[in-house]
Amino acid sequence: DKVASALNSLPYSWLLIGDGEEHSVIEDQLSSFAGDFRWIKELDQSEIGAYYQSADIFCFVPDSHESFGMVYLEAMSSGLPIVATDDRVRRDLIGRAGIYVDPHDSDSIAAGIRLAHQRARHDYSLELKPFALKTVIAQLDKEFHDLIS
């Protein structure tokens, strides 16, 4: 509800991709939305990259107890300015380029989105390095060998 309030206060066009257990809650919140909004509930994974490339920012601010999700890595791969929940997990993942907000404060979220719109794309190469396939395989290999040794 705080994200919907923040979005409703800003003069931008919005795109929500995905669907989930909060479907009916989101529909209720968006029924009073005054801005330009599009919701794509189902999208083929092969198409997602084009949407990230055409976006100006990425905003995902779940409660701190929720996992970080692959969506941050996807947004980082596209170099988008990212508005995220202010917690250690997301700060460690996204790094200094992230814009961190309180997910329970619509003013904080709106301010983060406004700031993100002022930023250019960012090269997240260093932040993404630990998630590169080679790095992950090497780490799994090491953990496996440590386990059986």
Side-chain angles (χ1 to χ4, degrees), residues 17 39 59 61 80 84 98 103 113 118-119 132 140:
I17 297 177
W39 186 2
C59 178
V61 289
L80 292 171
I113 292 170
Q118 297 171 10
R119 292 197 179 168
L140 288 172

Side-chain angles (χ1 to χ4, degrees), residues 1-17 22 25-37 57-64 66 72 83-86 90 99 101-114:
D1 63 33
K2 298 300 179 188
V3 174
S5 294
L7 297 181
N8 212 10
S9 72
L10 298 168
Y12 306 118
S13 296
W14 303 103
L15 173 64
L16 173 64
I17 297 177
E22 295 293 321
V25 173
I26 293 170
E27 277 188 343
D28 287 345
Q29 292 170 348
L30 295 177
S31 66
S32 63
F33 189 73
D36 181 18
F37 186 82
I57 70 162
F58 177 80
C59 178
F60 182 51
V61 289
D63 283 331
S64 294
E66 294 185 35
Y72 290 114
V83 179
T85 302
D86 190 0
R90 285 150 188 88
I99 299 166
V101 300
D102 178 350
H104 305 289
D105 181 350
S106 59
D107 291 335
S108 174
I109 297 166
I113 292 170
R114 281 192 295 274

Side-chain angles (χ1 to χ4, degrees), residues 64-83:
S64 294
H65 69 274
E66 294 185 35
S67 64
F68 74 83
M70 291 294 294
V71 292
Y72 290 114
L73 298 177
E74 293 168 345
M76 291 166 69
S77 293
S78 295
L80 292 171
I82 297 173
V83 179

Side-chain angles (χ1 to χ4, degrees), residues 72-74 76-77 92-95 122-140:
Y72 290 114
L73 298 177
E74 293 168 345
M76 291 166 69
S77 293
D92 287 347
L93 175 69
I94 301 164
H122 178 77
D123 180 359
Y124 292 96
S125 298
L126 291 176
E127 292 88 349
L128 287 169
K129 192 172 183 176
F131 302 96
L133 186 58
K134 265 181 147 176
T135 306
V136 172
I137 289 172
Q139 183 64 33
L140 288 172

